[in-house]
Amino acid sequence: MTDKDIIQEYKKLCEEVNYHNDRYYNQDSPEISDYEYDMLLRRLETIEQEHPEIKSETSPTLLVGGKASAKFSEVEHTVPMLSLHDSFSHEELLDFDRRVREVVASPIYVVEPKFDGLSVSVEYENGILVRASTRGDGFVGEDITDNILTIKNLPHRLKKPLPYLEVRGEVFMSNESFLRLLKKQEENEEKPFKNPRNAAAGSLRQKNSEITKQRELDIFIFNIQQIIGAEITSHKQSLDYIGELGLPKPPFYNCFTSMEKAIDEVERIGAMRGELPYQIDGAVIKLNDYDGRELLGSTAKFPRWAEAYKFPPEEKATKLLDIEINVGRTGALTPTGVFEPITLAGTTVSRAVLHNEDFIKEKDIRIGDTVILRKAGEIIPEVVSLKEHGENTVPFKMPELCPSCGGPVVREKDEAAIRCTNTDCPAQLMRHLIHFVSRDAMDIDGLGPAVLERFVNEGMVSSPVDLYSLDYDKIAAFDGMGELSAANLRKSIEKSKSNELYRLVFALGIRHIGQKAAKLLCEHFGTVEAIMQADSDEISAIDGFGRIMADSVCEYFSLDSTKELINKLRELGVKMPAAQKRTADSKFSGKTFVLTGTLPTMKRSEASKIIESLGGKTSSSVSKKTDYVLAGEEAGSKLTKAQNLGITILSENEFMEMVKG
Ligand code: IVH
């Protein structure tokens, strides 16, 4: 390669890596697998080592993670949150061992899983959780205290009231919670998260901590960043102590006196990867002794006393035996591949969703072909590519009629999905009913798919309306039901009549309208009548709504069948209570507040919430851009800086006056 070629490749790689960094760290929506990303970064590092003269000062190899977003206030990390150097082979781990032994005579290594989630710092003062932040660029992260407080396995109070503790850990979503979330997203026709890591990142960076709470995140704590009140001299001791404080420590960590034995442990962890209830993407090997760590030190990006070993993704070839078509709630026909069963990352895989016609065409996969399967994020199997066409295979064609009802199907402009247009299609009815009664919608207990199917087959239910005029004597006589089950079902159905309005709006299954959009709609218009009268411009003016969503709502409520449905539901006792209208108050719009010291009656997080609800922003550092400093007792350097800069200082009382005034 000529110098010119290398420079060109280098520039292109920098751009590519920066682009994927942004997708991964800031948008929680990566386009390539972690492995592909690692390989790009590797190539970039190799070029920089071989041609140091062309290395850019802004090279992505010098960066740690993402940057803090403007959504949250900033937190400066007193101890930088460094990343780990990655290895992909045993030789590289032996190289790491050689580098360590040049400085430390008989190293002991601790090996632990490398959890695949989001790195956070959590601080405790006098044993109470006071602050949590994301890693950000390693030096400045985002304040996510409110969201961290929703994580059930993280105590708000330590078992010992240490004066100060900063720990570092990984927030993640368990496989089970991820699958539950995917199901919900599918029901709501929301764009699904690609893997548990993105789901965890997206959930942790929610402005509304209620949403974070529903996402059921978990955390493992794997490092003490700073501690006052206890003497710790080794990593093993630190993890034991983390456990004694009541914090969730890694489920296993073991010590080894040689790298060979540590490598055996890495392999053992790799082999159990598929059986763990959460995702790991590798193992971490850490020097145990803190004095040794001190001697080895760190580069700008990584500690020299630890090394990550990344597992490669498991991919396998198998035969595509058939393509099945399922009909969804909104009539979308979704193709699913049926494969000769194979074992991938610990579980048997025989099916994978093929998304839509375009996906199948683009990969050119046909029934009878051999294809490569991979587990995306190690959970959901996906087709990576075609390996080879089978003999005499023909391109796949989506059916021209609905496989459930035989009705006509259409592909609308700008849509990848093909839909059945028959509103009486039984597949659609079943999905619609399942959605209507689901927990996030009308939340009717005792109406699982099997019971609903029975009602449909018996001709008792052909629309959600029929659920409100059921013949309970007939139901009590069903096999496996009885008086008690029928009475319980009646109770749940009666209870659902008083549900908040947004539940019904969501339950109706309007295309593009998930639970969040339904809430916004109800908070904006108050009543179902007002929603029915709104035009698309009014609806799309709601923050969080786009034109497609607004048009979908208008179209749905303009149908005579919808008006009839709403009237009938009301006649049958569904109350549709008016929703509390949200008034847009922007008293603090464009204003930045810094909170410091202990306020007399209010928690700082409460004050932040008030500021944000009135359109203001909070920041953790005082600068010329700060408009107000809300100061309590023992406000330190921030107050002095604010005074020097002539910034308005507010007491809690003055602040509350402003809020009310
Ligand atoms: S130690 C100063 N231990 O991996 C060293 N990191 O790729 C601190 N991670 O940002 C890191 N499991 O978020 C460490 N057992 C573990 C880990 C772990 C997951 C994450 C961590 C770090 C990333 C680096």
Side-chain angles (χ1 to χ4, degrees):
M1 258 199 199
T2 65
D3 283 359
K4 219 168 116 202
D5 289 342
I6 282 288
I7 292 172
Q8 246 180 11
E9 185 191 351
Y10 180 72
K11 275 194 182 154
K12 196 164 154 266
L13 266 174
C14 282
E15 268 170 35
E16 249 178 288
V17 172
N18 280 332
Y19 173 78
H20 291 300
N21 268 345
D22 183 55
R23 302 281 321 182
Y24 184 91
Y25 288 110
N26 301 325
Q27 304 195 33
D28 304 324
S29 178
E31 280 175 8
I32 56 175
S33 73
D34 289 1
Y35 191 75
E36 285 161 324
Y37 172 85
D38 288 339
M39 291 305 114
L40 284 180
L41 199 64
R42 256 292 147 102
R43 174 73 190 134
L44 198 60
E45 281 167 356
T46 312
I47 296 181
E48 287 179 352
Q49 270 158 20
E50 288 169 3
H51 304 271
E53 70 287 355
I54 66 168
K55 181 168 172 172
S56 153
E57 275 173 23
T58 55
S59 164
T61 59
L62 300 169
L63 300 174
V64 178
K67 61 172 185 301
S69 92
K71 257 200 322 193
F72 297 90
S73 57
E74 291 183 348
V75 174
E76 264 175 51
H77 300 305
T78 1
V79 176
M81 291 179 74
L82 298 179
S83 185
L84 288 170
H85 185 258
D86 291 333
S87 279
F88 299 92
S89 67
H90 294 178
E91 288 70 47
E92 287 175 87
L93 290 180
L94 293 168
D95 283 345
F96 164 68
D97 181 44
R98 270 189 286 276
R99 290 195 299 273
V100 170
R101 280 175 198 275
E102 280 169 18
V103 181
V104 177
S106 311
I108 294 177
Y109 293 115
V110 180
V111 182
E112 53 195 71
K114 184 171 185 309
F115 309 105
D116 196 9
L118 204 78
S119 203
V120 294
S121 140
V122 186
E123 291 167 77
Y124 289 85
E125 279 172 21
N126 301 318
I128 308 291
L129 195 161
V130 290
R131 195 155 69 151
S133 47
T134 60
R135 184 173 68 172
D137 64 3
F139 301 98
V140 178
E142 297 160 338
D143 189 324
I144 46 153
T145 314
D146 287 346
N147 291 351
I148 283 285
L149 288 171
T150 68
I151 299 182
K152 283 212 187 97
N153 75 333
L154 186 72
H156 298 179
R157 181 188 289 270
L158 298 176
K159 285 193 176 156
K160 300 178 186 178
L162 282 179
Y164 181 75
L165 177 75
E166 182 189 353
V167 287
R168 182 168 170 184
E170 197 84 350
V171 171
F172 62 94
M173 189 178 280
S174 70
N175 298 346
E176 214 182 294
S177 299
F178 175 64
L179 291 174
R180 252 199 305 273
L181 175 61
L182 274 193
K183 206 162 147 242
K184 259 194 203 172
Q185 289 187 310
E186 190 195 329
E187 275 172 17
N188 297 352
E189 298 212 339
E190 289 167 1
K191 194 174 158 217
F193 283 114
K194 282 218 169 97
N195 55 47
R197 198 213 83 90
N198 297 122
S203 306
L204 199 59
R205 295 162 88 188
Q206 285 288 336
K207 254 306 191 195
N208 179 352
S209 52
E210 256 317 298
I211 299 182
T212 315
K213 190 171 175 185
Q214 287 164 17
R215 298 281 174 84
E216 304 169 342
L217 298 173
D218 273 289
I219 188 168
F220 284 129
I221 302 292
F222 51 67
N223 203 50
I224 293 184
Q225 302 284 95
Q226 301 186 71
I227 187 163
I228 301 176
E231 195 61 39
I232 307 283
T233 58
S234 76
H235 186 57
K236 162 92 169 57
Q237 189 199 354
S238 79
L239 295 182
D240 292 345
Y241 192 63
I242 284 170
E244 283 167 35
L245 292 173
L247 293 168
K249 62 179 184 174
F252 47 91
Y253 48 94
N254 293 305
C255 291
F256 301 92
T257 49
S258 75
M259 184 50 82
E260 287 71 17
K261 287 197 187 116
I263 288 175
D264 287 346
E265 175 72 355
V266 167
E267 288 302 316
R268 191 183 74 87
I269 295 177
M272 65 164 83
R273 193 179 177 197
E275 274 111 66
L276 295 171
Y278 44 80
Q279 297 297 298
I280 61 172
D281 60 344
V284 189
I285 303 184
K286 300 174 178 176
L287 183 68
N288 188 39
D289 182 51
Y290 276 10
D291 285 342
R293 287 187 177 191
E294 189 91 4
L295 287 173
L296 280 155
S298 303
T299 69
K301 212 174 155 181
F302 328 105
R304 290 197 188 86
W305 44 261
E307 185 80 4
Y309 178 83
K310 299 282 279 283
F311 301 133
E314 209 184 333
E315 293 186 349
K316 266 189 198 159
T318 185
K319 191 166 169 192
L320 177 62
L321 300 175
D322 195 6
I323 296 180
E324 281 179 10
I325 307 290
N326 299 309
V327 188
R329 175 165 56 84
T330 55
L333 271 54
T334 310
T336 301
V338 181
F339 304 92
E340 239 161 44
I342 44 162
T343 312
L344 256 187
T347 54
T348 308
V349 174
S350 59
R351 303 171 72 80
V353 63
L354 301 175
H355 308 288
N356 52 49
E357 195 175 26
D358 293 349
F359 180 88
I360 298 173
K361 256 196 203 143
E362 198 186 297
K363 303 236 182 266
D364 192 18
I365 43 183
R366 311 164 179 194
I367 297 171
D369 286 355
T370 302
V371 299
I372 308 285
L373 283 191
R374 166 169 75 198
K375 279 219 188 154
E378 303 310 314
I379 294 199
I380 313 291
E382 66 176 16
V383 173
V384 184
S385 57
L386 167 76
K387 188 167 180 221
E388 61 183 11
H389 284 308
E391 245 176 71
N392 306 324
T393 57
V394 285
F396 178 74
K397 275 214 184 103
M398 288 291 277
E400 282 164 12
L401 296 174
C402 169
S404 174
C405 68
V409 296
V410 290
R411 179 168 177 172
E412 279 169 28
K413 212 171 89 212
D414 302 332
E415 272 218 21
I418 291 179
R419 288 176 199 278
C420 166
T421 52
N422 172 14
T423 44
D424 294 328
C425 172
Q428 278 187 64
L429 173 63
M430 263 313 290
R431 294 272 181 141
H432 186 37
L433 290 171
I434 291 170
H435 170 73
F436 189 87
V437 305
S438 66
R439 183 128 62 99
D440 285 349
M442 292 303 266
D443 192 20
I444 303 178
D445 270 348
L447 264 187
V451 179
L452 283 172
E453 196 162 6
R454 179 125 192 225
F455 291 174
V456 171
N457 292 343
E458 296 276 338
M460 294 164 70
V461 172
S462 59
S463 141
V465 166
D466 300 331
L467 297 174
Y468 291 96
S469 56
L470 288 173
D471 178 346
Y472 291 99
D473 291 337
K474 189 169 172 186
I475 294 170
F478 278 175
D479 272 358
M481 279 301 271
E483 296 285 339
L484 187 64
S485 304
N488 284 339
L489 179 60
R490 181 181 216 143
K491 239 194 253 164
S492 322
I493 291 183
E494 284 304 310
K495 189 169 142 242
S496 76
K497 289 181 178 172
S498 308
N499 278 344
E500 284 181 74
L501 182 60
Y502 79 86
R503 287 190 170 272
L504 176 68
V505 171
F506 173 55
L508 295 173
I510 309 165
R511 260 170 76 194
H512 308 296
I513 303 302
Q515 197 199 43
K516 195 170 134 202
K519 270 189 185 159
L520 289 172
L521 203 57
C522 295
E523 281 169 3
H524 187 87
F525 291 104
T527 62
V528 75
E529 285 72 22
I531 300 175
M532 287 172 114
Q533 280 159 17
D535 66 24
S536 180
D537 287 344
E538 280 172 84
I539 300 173
S540 63
I542 303 175
D543 197 12
F545 266 70
R547 180 58 67 184
I548 292 177
M549 290 162 81
D551 284 350
S552 172
V553 173
C554 272
E555 193 190 323
Y556 180 81
F557 282 106
S558 68
L559 297 173
D560 286 343
S561 55
T562 305
K563 290 174 193 153
E564 208 175 298
L565 176 82
I566 298 287
N567 285 339
K568 275 196 189 151
L569 285 170
R570 209 188 276 284
E571 275 167 32
L572 290 165
V574 179
K575 297 202 177 83
M576 308 177 203
Q580 188 90 36
K581 274 195 171 193
R582 189 195 284 228
T583 46
D585 199 334
S586 51
K587 191 174 288 162
F588 291 158
S589 161
K591 300 288 180 217
T592 303
F593 287 71
V594 172
L595 309 170
T596 179
T598 314
L599 300 172
T601 68
M602 219 190 270
K603 278 200 218 141
R604 292 219 296 253
S605 58
E606 286 167 351
S608 296
K609 268 200 192 130
I610 296 177
I611 292 166
E612 281 156 19
S613 71
L614 296 177
K617 271 198 315 194
T618 55
S619 162
S620 67
S621 53
V622 175
S623 72
K624 274 190 264 171
K625 289 190 198 141
T626 311
D627 296 288
Y628 300 103
V629 169
L630 174 54
E633 251 182 73
E634 288 176 22
S637 58
K638 288 184 194 172
L639 181 59
T640 325
K641 189 166 175 195
Q643 281 161 338
N644 290 341
L645 290 171
I647 291 163
T648 310
I649 319 267
L650 300 172
S651 67
E652 184 183 307
N653 266 345
E654 287 165 331
F655 170 69
M656 286 315 289
E657 293 282 305
M658 274 175 77
V659 171
K660 289 182 202 143

